[in-house]
Amino acid sequence: MTTLSIAPLAPLLDRLFAEADAATSPAMSALSREEWDRLMHSRTEYLRLYGLMKDLWLPVSRETGALLYMLARSTCAKSMVEFGTSFGISTLHLAAALRDNGGGRIITSEFEPSKVARAREHLAEGGLADLVEIREGDALKTLSVDLPEAIDLLLLDGAKSLYPDILSVVESRLKPGALIIADNADYCPEYLERLRMPGGGYISIPFAEDVELSMRAG
């Protein structure tokens, strides 16, 4: 048995995934496909876009959640950083791995206050709040200070256009062999080019349908 498969976390995740599937956003429904696509690729209007999407959960899939747990467990990760908390579904999977690894710390960042509040509630309900530090605000600022000396795992699941910038902020703290998991990385070709570049310091492959799985070489 694992923390992920028993109460209180297992039934909590079932409920949260169901709520995520049912969530709607009138603000996003009013956007044209062209405008949505433009905002998804913008490196200057990401706060506007994710403000419009504040009612949407934007979770990882169940399969990606399980993958996060397995990667963190199999590498005995103790120190993790997450870009894009949202309502905390991915954070719960990572925190479950930390619990089963014997402890550790996740630093995660979310700029939408209402999502921060809900994520805190979910982490408390899942009995994992003691393992997580949520930093509220723009991740380019909140993740630029007071990071651990050595980071075992980085999850990128916020504004896709900022993946290269967030990686640059955290990169010096990634230990050799650290894993980087980027959800929906296809929205940022620049990020994929950087991680897949021969001799660029990473080994990187597309994994499943919507995940780029990378490792810091060295």
Side-chain angles (χ1 to χ4, degrees):
M1 305 297 288
T2 69
T3 298
L4 198 63
S5 62
I6 61 174
L9 187 55
L12 171 62
L13 285 171
D14 285 341
R15 192 190 85 222
L16 297 185
F17 274 119
E19 290 183 28
D21 288 342
T24 60
S25 172
M28 287 302 296
S29 298
L31 281 184
S32 68
R33 176 71 190 187
E34 292 75 17
E35 179 67 358
W36 179 83
D37 190 64
R38 186 186 69 79
L39 290 172
M40 282 292 289
H41 290 87
S42 173
R43 299 180 72 172
T44 59
E45 296 185 78
Y46 57 92
L47 293 178
R48 179 193 168 205
L49 173 62
Y50 282 82
L52 290 171
M53 292 196 291
K54 67 179 182 179
D55 295 323
L56 297 178
W57 288 55
L58 310 173
V60 295
S61 67
R62 287 180 180 270
E63 293 77 15
T64 299
L67 174 67
L68 291 173
Y69 175 85
M70 289 189 290
L71 290 173
R73 282 299 312 277
S74 64
T75 57
C76 299
K78 295 286 188 179
S79 178
M80 309 185 204
V81 172
E82 177 184 37
F83 167 48
T85 317
S86 192
F87 287 81
I89 287 180
S90 54
T91 319
L92 287 165
H93 284 86
L94 292 174
L98 277 187
R99 179 72 77 213
D100 293 340
N101 283 346
R105 183 186 184 204
I106 303 170
I107 296 173
T108 181
S109 181
E110 172 61 48
F111 87 90
E112 175 56 47
S114 61
K115 289 189 172 184
V116 171
R118 290 290 300 279
R120 291 190 198 281
E121 292 174 5
H122 298 154
L123 287 162
E125 187 175 348
L128 298 167
D130 59 303
L131 300 169
V132 181
E133 176 190 347
I134 301 179
R135 297 184 179 181
E136 183 178 331
D138 189 331
L140 291 175
K141 297 178 181 178
T142 64
L143 297 181
S144 66
V145 295
D146 299 327
L147 291 180
E149 288 297 322
I151 295 169
D152 300 305
L153 185 149
L154 170 64
L155 172 60
L156 301 174
D157 194 23
K160 316 310 172 191
S161 60
L162 294 187
Y163 283 5
D165 303 275
I166 298 297
L167 178 62
S168 293
V169 167
V170 177
E171 190 169 43
S172 65
R173 304 299 180 93
L174 293 174
K175 62 189 292 187
L179 296 178
I180 305 97
I181 303 98
D183 202 35
N184 306 120
D186 287 350
Y187 282 106
C188 190
E190 178 187 344
Y191 173 81
L192 294 177
E193 181 180 358
R194 175 174 171 181
L195 271 290
R196 295 174 183 176
M197 179 176 62
Y202 295 92
I203 300 169
S204 191
I205 58 169
F207 194 91
E209 294 184 359
D210 56 359
V211 173
E212 182 77 6
L213 178 59
S214 314
M215 186 188 77
R216 182 77 186 269

